[in-house]
Amino acid sequence: MADVKTEVPEHCPGTQSEDAGKASACAGCPNQTICSSGEANKIDPGIELVKERLLSVKHKILILSGKGGVGKSTITSLVSRALAADDLERNVAVLDIDICGPSQPRVLGVLGEQVHQSASGWSPVYIEDNLSLMSIGFLLGSASDAVIWRGPKKNGMIRQFLSDVDWGSLDYLILDTPPGTSDEHLSATSYLKAAGITGALVVTTPQEVALLDVRKEIDFCNKVKIPIIGIIENMSAFICPKCKNSAEIFPASTGGGRQLAKDLNIEFLGSIPLDPLLARCCDEGKNFMTEMPDSPVVAVLSPMIQRIIQKCEKTEVSSAVDD
Amino acid sequence: MLEGVKHVVLVLSGKGGVGKSTVSTQLALTLKEAGFKVGLLDVDLCGPSIPYLLNLEGKDVHQSTKGWVPVYADEEQKLAVMSIGFLLKNRNDGVVWRGPKKTGMIKQFLTDVVWEDIDYLIIDTPPGTSDEHITVMENLRSVKCDGAVIVTTPQAVAVDDVLREVTFCRKTGIPIIGIVENMSGFVCPTCSECTNIFSSGGGQALAEMVKVPFLGRIPIDPAVGKLADKGQSILVTLPDSELARIFRRLIEQITRSKEA
C-alpha cells in the first residue's frame, strides 16, 4: 500500500478535466504542476499499444454488472465455453480483470496453473485448444494472497493484460469484470477505446436491491458509450430437486431483469434458473454443459449464445458499412 | 475524527452479493433494539444499498454549521445513516469515479458527518481490498476500531475471495470479530426439503482454517429478502428465526467484548 501515497484534495477536479491544476482545490496539491502542464491530459500511449496487440481480435465483449455475486464469472465461463464448443475453429479467450477477487482460474478449472513469459509476451493458460485465460490469479504466490492495491496499480495491471498477453488470433475476447463502476471499468473501456468494444452483456439477479446497482452500470455504459448486447437474468427460479415445485429465492418484486430491459429498451436475452449443480461445477472447475447436458440451464443457454453470436457478427457488418 | 463515536465495527467480504449490506443493516437495527445509539455508514460508493434496505430512499442529508447531518431512520434519532445514495439526484445515476475521488468522499464521510454520541458505528463496505478499504483502514488508525465481521457464502468461489479479505485484515491489523456464513441451504416452502444451493459449510471451514470465531450459518429465506426493504429488525419481524438467533449471539459477542 505504501507505494501509492496520493493525498488528493477534497474537490479535485480530476486529472483529465480542463480545470486540472487550475481549480481552487488544486492549490497546494503536490501534483498541481503536472496537472497544469497538461501532461496528465495527454493520450495514454497504452491505448495505441492495446490497439496493436488486439488487431487480430475480432469481438471484445465485457461482462458487466453493478452488483457483486450475481454470476458474472459463472456467465463468463458458460458463454466462453459455449462459444468455443460450438465451433472448434472459433478461438475464444477470457480476460479476468477482477484484480481483487479473481474467480476465473477456479471456475474454468485451471487453479494453480502458471503463466509463462515469452518474447512475444505473456502466454495465457489454455483450457481447451481454442479457449484460453489470463487472470491475476495466476500471478499470485498462494491462494490467501490479497491484492491490496489502489486504483492506479490496478490500472497498470489491466493495461499490461491488454497489451502484453500473446492471445494470438481470436474471434472472441471476453472480459470478466468486478462489480462497480470504477477503476477497472474505466481502465478497460479507455484502453479499449481505439481497439473497439463490440458490446457488453449485463448480468443481474431478479431482486430490486441488485437491479438498483445494475441500473447504475447501464448508466455507466451509456456515459462511456458502450453498446449493450443484452441483459441476462441469473438465479431466477429455483426448482426443488425433490418436489419439482419452483420457488423464487430472490423475488422479482419490481419485475426483475425482463422489466429492466423493457424499461431501458435493451434486449432481454433470457433467465437462467438457479441450479445447485451449476454452483458446484463452478467450484470444481468442471464444464457444466458436458457434465449436466440435461439441466434446464443448458436449454436456456443455447439460444442465448446463438443470439449473442448473431448480434456480434451483425455489429461487425454494420460497422464495416459505416466505415 | 469520529469524536462522538465509542465503537467502530466494519462489515467486510472479499466477495460481492454475499449479504454485507443486509448484515450491516440488521446489525445496526438489532443494536438499536438493544438500546444503543447506532450509526450506519455506507462506503460502497458505486453500489450503495443501505438507503434502499432501510426504506430511506429519497431522504436528504443536511448541512449544518458542524458538518453533514446524517439521515435518521427513526423518530427517536437512535439510528443515524450516511450513504452516497442520499447525495445522488437520481437513484439510477452511476457514480463513475476512480480511486482518488472515492478516497476523498470517504474521508469526508469520516470527518465531516456529525455523529453525535454514537455507541456503535457500523461501516458497510464494497467487495474487494482496494481504495475504499485502504482509506477506511488508514483513517481508522487514529480511532479505535473494534474489529470486522466478515460475511461469506458457502461456495468455494466466494470463500476464495473472503480468504483474501482475511489476509487484508491480518496485514493491516484489523481484528476479526468472526465469520458469518450466509445463504447456507434453502428450505423448500412446499416440501421442506433443504437444498444447499451454494453448497454448505464453506464459511465454517474457513473460520477453522484461519482460526477466527464462526458466528453462525444463515439459511436462505426469501422472507428475509422481502422484509429487507422495510427497515425493520429481524428480531421484531421474525423473532424465532435462525437469523434472529444469530444476530442475538452476534450482538452479545460485540457488546460483551467491548464493555470490559
Side-chain angles (χ1 to χ4, degrees):
Chain A
M1 286 146 285
D3 46 308
V4 192
K5 270 278 173 248
T6 36
E7 285 297 322
V8 173
E10 259 169 35
H11 300 287
C12 171
T15 55
Q16 307 286 310
S17 92
E18 274 184 29
D19 292 333
K22 295 169 198 146
S24 58
C26 300
C29 173
N31 292 323
Q32 190 188 9
T33 33
I34 305 173
C35 280
S36 58
S37 71
E39 195 69 28
N41 218 353
K42 276 192 184 152
I43 294 168
D44 191 319
I47 296 176
E48 270 308 302
L49 284 175
V50 170
K51 187 187 174 189
E52 258 167 59
R53 172 66 83 176
L54 301 182
L55 269 180
S56 51
V57 176
K58 273 195 208 135
H59 305 292
K60 296 123 202 143
I61 299 179
L62 295 175
I63 309 285
L64 295 174
S65 172
K67 184 77 186 156
V70 296
K72 285 178 294 302
S73 298
T74 303
I75 292 196
T76 304
S77 74
L78 288 173
V79 167
S80 55
R81 276 187 149 136
L83 283 171
D86 177 63
D87 178 355
L88 295 177
E89 296 297 309
R90 182 185 287 138
N91 289 314
V92 183
V94 175
L95 173 59
D96 184 2
I97 60 166
D98 190 342
I99 306 291
C100 295
S103 304
Q104 287 301 334
R106 175 181 288 277
V107 174
L108 286 172
V110 282
L111 211 59
E113 295 281 334
Q114 295 215 316
V115 162
H116 298 280
Q117 184 94 42
S118 75
S120 50
W122 277 334
S123 314
V125 170
Y126 281 83
I127 297 111
E128 310 280 351
D129 286 340
N130 61 340
L131 177 60
S132 60
L133 165 67
M134 184 67 202
S135 166
I136 196 170
F138 298 133
L139 309 176
L140 301 175
S142 97
S144 61
D145 276 7
V147 180
I148 308 171
W149 289 357
R150 286 191 181 268
K153 252 186 123 167
K154 294 195 282 192
N155 182 58
M157 188 81 244
I158 291 169
R159 189 202 123 161
Q160 258 191 296
F161 278 161
L162 286 167
S163 66
D164 295 2
V165 177
D166 182 18
W167 298 108
S169 154
L170 289 179
D171 295 288
Y172 286 90
L173 176 64
I174 314 227
L175 278 81
D176 185 17
T177 64
T181 48
S182 190
D183 288 284
E184 294 88 341
H185 313 82
L186 283 167
S187 300
T189 48
S190 58
Y191 282 125
L192 286 170
K193 205 180 276 166
I197 297 173
T198 315
L201 288 173
V202 176
V203 184
T204 187
T205 48
Q207 75 278 37
E208 176 59 25
V209 76
L211 296 172
L212 198 61
D213 292 352
V214 174
R215 286 191 202 101
K216 294 185 163 68
E217 195 75 33
I218 294 172
D219 182 45
F220 166 81
C221 288
N222 294 338
K223 276 181 182 154
V224 298
K225 299 189 177 63
I226 305 172
I228 297 173
I229 300 171
I231 293 178
I232 299 174
E233 182 182 271
N234 191 21
M235 308 191 196
S236 299
F238 170 69
I239 295 160
C240 174
K242 197 176 168 200
C243 68
K244 306 289 172 206
N245 270 310
S246 123
E248 273 199 329
I249 290 187
F250 302 108
S253 55
T254 52
R258 190 178 291 275
Q259 188 61 40
L260 173 74
K262 208 172 148 200
D263 292 345
L264 299 173
N265 207 9
I266 298 168
E267 180 166 347
F268 183 67
L269 293 168
S271 300
I272 299 181
L274 242 182
D275 186 340
L277 296 170
L278 176 55
R280 193 186 304 164
C281 273
C282 284
D283 272 1
E284 293 170 359
K286 289 184 180 149
N287 185 347
F288 182 76
M289 280 159 293
T290 53
E291 295 279 320
M292 306 290 157
D294 301 327
S295 163
V297 173
V298 177
V300 181
L301 206 61
S302 312
M304 206 183 270
I305 299 296
Q306 291 311 319
R307 182 66 188 137
I308 293 170
I309 295 172
Q310 198 187 6
K311 280 197 99 170
C312 287
E313 323 235 301
K314 203 178 78 198
T315 318
E316 186 194 33
V317 174
S318 69
S319 66
V321 172
D322 287 344
D323 288 344
Chain B
M1 188 192 294
L2 300 178
E3 283 82 11
V5 177
K6 291 201 190 91
H7 302 289
V8 178
V9 175
L10 296 173
V11 177
L12 295 174
S13 171
K15 184 79 186 156
V18 296
K20 285 179 295 300
S21 299
T22 305
V23 167
S24 302
T25 355
Q26 285 303 326
L27 195 55
L29 287 167
T30 319
L31 280 166
K32 190 198 83 170
E33 290 298 319
F36 294 103
K37 277 201 80 179
V38 187
L40 178 53
L41 172 61
D42 183 3
V43 299
D44 189 342
L45 302 180
C46 295
S49 306
I50 298 288
Y52 173 77
L53 290 176
L54 282 173
N55 204 10
L56 294 173
E57 281 185 303
K59 291 272 191 324
D60 281 321
V61 165
H62 296 282
Q63 190 90 39
S64 79
T65 45
K66 285 200 248 161
W68 276 340
V69 181
V71 170
Y72 287 95
D74 55 336
E75 278 174 12
E76 301 90 59
Q77 306 213 327
K78 287 180 79 183
L79 176 54
V81 186
M82 187 67 203
S83 165
I84 195 168
F86 299 132
L87 307 175
L88 300 176
K89 283 196 201 84
N90 180 328
R91 74 198 285 259
N92 300 337
D93 280 354
V95 175
V96 188
W97 288 358
R98 285 194 181 268
K101 250 186 125 164
K102 293 196 284 193
T103 301
M105 187 83 236
I106 292 172
K107 271 192 193 156
Q108 261 189 296
F109 278 163
L110 290 169
T111 51
D112 295 0
V113 176
V114 209
W115 303 104
E116 274 178 294
D117 295 324
I118 300 270
D119 295 307
Y120 287 94
L121 178 67
I122 313 289
I123 304 184
D124 182 25
T125 63
T129 49
S130 192
D131 288 282
E132 294 89 340
H133 313 81
I134 300 171
T135 307
V136 167
M137 176 273 297
E138 283 181 345
N139 284 281
L140 287 184
R141 275 200 188 129
S142 52
V143 187
K144 209 180 79 205
C145 171
D146 289 17
V149 173
I150 295 187
V151 186
T152 188
T153 49
Q155 77 274 37
V157 114
V159 171
D160 280 352
D161 288 352
V162 176
L163 176 59
R164 297 186 183 105
E165 199 75 33
V166 171
T167 307
F168 171 80
C169 290
R170 295 260 152 97
K171 276 198 173 167
T172 54
I174 299 170
I176 298 172
I177 297 169
I179 294 179
V180 178
E181 181 177 307
N182 193 17
M183 304 193 200
S184 180
F186 171 68
V187 179
C188 174
T190 319
C191 69
S192 302
E193 168 86 356
C194 179
T195 312
N196 292 322
I197 297 183
F198 303 109
S199 91
S200 182
Q204 185 160 20
L206 175 68
E208 280 161 18
M209 188 183 120
V210 296
K211 299 192 175 58
V212 299
F214 181 62
L215 298 171
R217 191 174 287 161
I218 304 175
I220 299 175
D221 187 346
V224 174
K226 278 195 189 127
L227 291 167
D229 50 352
K230 300 286 185 292
Q232 279 192 313
S233 164
I234 199 78
L235 295 190
V236 177
T237 51
L238 296 167
D240 300 322
S241 65
E242 176 65 18
L243 191 61
R245 216 165 28 245
I246 288 171
F247 274 98
R248 271 190 216 107
R249 202 184 314 149
L250 187 55
I251 300 305
E252 210 175 275
Q253 200 132 11
I254 290 173
T255 49
R256 185 189 49 204
S257 54
K258 308 315 166 256
E259 248 126 40

